[in-house]
Amino acid sequence: MDDGDHYDGWEEEDADAPPPPPPTTRTPAEGVRIIGAEEAATALESGHAAGRQPDDVPRFGDVPPPPPAGPRPAHRFPLPDSVDPAAVARPPLVPPPPPDPELVVPELPHWTEPATGEVPSVLASDDEDLEAWSGLTSRAPRWRDQESDWDEPDFDDASQLADDGIREGVLDPDRTEHSDLFSFDDAPLRTEVEPTDVAAAPPPPPRRVRSVEPSYAEPHGGAPRDLQQAVVLGLGLGAVALICFKLGPLTSMLLVTAVVMLAAVEVFDVLRRAGYKPATLLGLAATASALIATYNYGETGLLLVTALTVISTFLWFLFGVENARPTVNIAVTLLGFFWVGVLGSYAALLLAIPGRVGIAFLLGAVLATVANDVGGLLFGRQVGSRPLAPEISPNKTWEGIIGGAVASVVVSLLFLRYLPGMFPWEGGRGGALWLGLVVAVVAPLGDLCESMIKRDLGIKDMGTILPGHGGVLDRFDAMLFVLPATYYLMRFIYI
């Protein structure tokens, strides 16, 4: 059958209709037979089948809905033009149910009207609450922006504002001026004792105030130096140095290498004991390499070792050879290398000068520095009264600085200019005088810088290898500053 077509059966009233086709045998399970388009068209033409009916045509089995109860309305919308809408009867309105008295909301005043001061009924559950709020009903909020507005209090009894609780912190009337905010556990707090009876109570004991940060002028312990022992050891070291200088540049270079390496060991050991983790092995190897390269290749070798040391120090911490904070420990490693290794290598630069001229330059620097140290010590002990830098080196005085300067100049003029065989200091260019003046300025600076590092690290000496002197660096700290000054003075005057 075609879509929408259905079979309505034979029309018995139509006598001219052709006879029905012979019945076909169907199986009981067959309900619908699908026919082709030609057979469907033949059935439509012969009237045996009908086409699709409209949607509003009742179909077989349709049951109409029951009609609505009540009278039928006289008109349906839209109303025709002949009907007056006002004349149409309307159903009566059903009145709304009465409101629940518990849900009645009181009428509120408009927000622009002033406040009445009344307590909302929702908050007043009993008479006690009403009495609590009744004291505020006679007053309205006040705006205060002038000092005179506070003259008239809003409360009849100002005692309501009193706070009888325990006052602490800045409100504590018994609080002293001392605050333990920046104090440490080992610093006792200052407390003030207020006796009840001043006349009868004994005077309070004197309070001992301890500074949080240690003063640089405070001694760091240790027995006083044995001056006689220090002098004997100094004369012995001077004799060894003169013998090495007499033997030639190579022997002098071995002495310089031993002194500089011992000083480098002391620096890195002190830094480790202070809590840092420098690349000690790398720093010692770099110091030795700088001395050897400088002696053999001059300034070029020193620059090469310096560049390699800086790069190697970064890589040392980059690859985790030393697991520590890289920034601060790279800094202290390079501090030890530049302070001792690079500055000490200028002695190798002086010894690398051909002939015995380099030995003369180095010997002149050593003699002027020793004279400055001894002169400063003697003058400072005898007439010293005005401290030079009490926070860094409390034993140094201005009188000692002046005495050391005079000793440097005198020794340089007497021993370097007029002593036979001290070429080129004995020439007429004034090199001995300039050396004495330069050492008088540079040597105290080197000593003060080492004292600054020791005070910062909280130690008295860099080592104990030299009885009466401390460590090797304690004895040659000024020399590290004098060596580059002597080298460039020599380059300026003689080359």
Side-chain angles (χ1 to χ4, degrees), residues 184 186 210-220 391 455-456 458:
F184 294 91
D186 57 349
R210 181 177 179 182
S211 177
V212 175
E213 296 183 359
S215 174
Y216 286 118
E218 182 182 355
H220 289 257
E391 295 183 353
R455 299 304 181 190
D456 181 66

Side-chain angles (χ1 to χ4, degrees), residues 78-85:
L79 295 176
D81 298 338
S82 59
V83 179
D84 185 8

Side-chain angles (χ1 to χ4, degrees), residues 225-228 230-231 369-384 395-397 399-405 407 447 468-469 475:
R225 300 186 187 277
D226 188 350
L227 184 58
Q228 183 178 0
V231 172
T369 305
V370 172
N372 182 273
D373 195 2
V374 174
L377 177 63
L378 295 178
F379 275 81
R381 289 204 172 194
Q382 296 298 325
V383 298
N395 296 326
K396 280 188 171 48
T397 59
E399 292 80 4
I401 295 295
I402 296 175
D447 197 356
H469 295 271
R475 191 73 282 131

